[in-house]
Amino acid sequence: MINILFFKRIANSASEKVALKQPSKAQLIAFDELLGNDAHAKALYTAMCAENLPVINHALETAMGITGKKNETPLFDISAQNDIGPIRLIKQAEAYSVFGGGKQLRPTLALETFKMLNPGNAPKDHATIAPFLAAIEMIHTYTLIHDDLPAMDDDDLRRGRPTSHKVYGEDVAILTGDALQPDALNHLLTTQGVEATSLLKAMRYLTHAMGSQGVVGGQMLDIKGEDRKSTRL
């Protein structure tokens, strides 16, 4: 939901400034309802993921302070004063869900949109968009953690693995989702090479899409409208 709102705003504002001879990859995927079961579109999306996954994963590792792995367990850059069990546990729980094997569609669309609006950009230019990629995926992950909780959808599995609350307990899962939101926004403020006004505008769009008029509102419609045939938006 966050990425669709984000993408629509960019597409609408850019339509008068950017003349495209053919639909971009981001446009094809964003409007997938027009594609149906188009095998070509699916192949295109797979290629997009393969191309963008290293960029997105690096952005997420940077945002979450991951310095490496030991026996597939993330190693975190945590200052000595905060190197205590509960803090480390939250970081581990965040990484468990963020790197849980998702499609990473939202940061992929954001990166493709960035490429569309910045033709000829080099890999080094991705540093500008990297904090946005990480923030979007971290916020999306928080929604999944909370959506899986017993009070919500009560799911035991997510992407073929035990859900966060099944691994860490409900209390830690709730706090992990809570932590991912400010952690994402805090990292977004580290963006370099973007005017402050533009950064604040992007954060305004993002936080609006996170709240009662966006994700949380959608979750309320979901849990309160399950017994209704239709819900008027």
Side-chain angles (χ1 to χ4, degrees):
M1 183 181 295
I2 288 176
N3 196 79
I4 293 301
L5 292 172
F6 179 72
F7 180 83
K8 285 172 66 177
R9 289 184 184 276
I10 289 182
N12 290 338
S13 64
S15 60
E16 299 179 356
K17 302 177 182 179
V18 181
L20 299 176
K21 295 182 179 180
Q22 58 184 1
S24 69
K25 291 186 288 185
Q27 287 174 313
L28 289 176
I29 299 302
F31 299 101
D32 61 343
E33 67 273 13
L34 300 178
L35 304 176
N37 295 319
D38 191 325
H40 174 69
K42 292 182 179 179
L44 185 60
Y45 170 66
T46 301
M48 283 172 55
C49 288
E51 176 184 340
N52 295 324
L53 194 60
V55 177
I56 295 169
N57 279 336
H58 179 70
L60 286 166
E61 289 171 356
T62 300
M64 301 180 68
I66 296 177
T67 58
K69 290 184 178 180
K70 182 178 181 180
N71 297 326
E72 297 304 313
T73 300
L75 301 177
F76 301 97
D77 180 16
I78 301 179
S79 58
Q81 62 267 30
N82 290 328
D83 190 10
I84 54 179
I87 301 297
R88 188 169 294 277
L89 179 61
I90 286 290
K91 302 296 288 185
Q92 290 172 344
E94 285 183 333
Y96 175 82
S97 293
V98 168
F99 296 100
K103 298 181 292 295
Q104 297 184 336
L105 174 61
R106 290 150 190 83
T108 294
L109 284 175
L111 181 53
E112 287 297 321
T113 302
F114 175 79
K115 293 177 182 178
M116 177 182 72
L117 299 178
N118 297 273
N121 72 91
K124 64 181 179 62
D125 298 323
H126 294 161
T128 302
I129 192 67
F132 290 89
L133 305 180
I136 289 171
E137 187 66 11
M138 290 167 72
I139 292 167
H140 171 59
T141 301
Y142 121 70
T143 70
L144 301 183
I145 294 173
H146 281 189
D147 200 47
D148 289 335
L149 290 168
M152 299 289 283
D153 283 354
D154 194 15
D155 287 321
D156 294 344
L157 295 175
R158 167 73 63 179
R159 300 162 181 163
R161 303 193 312 163
T163 50
S164 181
H165 69 274
K166 285 296 180 181
V167 175
Y168 298 98
E170 289 183 44
D171 51 355
V172 175
I174 291 171
L175 291 176
T176 299
D178 291 344
L180 279 169
Q181 299 172 70
D183 285 354
L185 296 176
N186 182 63
H187 182 66
L188 191 56
L189 290 172
T190 68
T191 303
Q192 301 294 319
V194 177
E195 293 183 0
T197 53
S198 297
L199 181 58
L200 288 175
K201 183 181 293 186
M203 290 192 67
R204 176 173 174 268
Y205 290 150
L206 188 59
T207 52
H208 176 79
M210 291 167 60
S212 59
Q213 299 298 309
V215 169
V216 175
Q219 289 175 321
M220 280 296 294
L221 290 174
D222 183 31
I223 63 175
K224 296 301 183 182
E226 291 178 348
D227 297 329
R228 300 180 182 179
K229 292 183 179 179
S230 64
T231 301
R232 183 177 180 180
L233 297 176

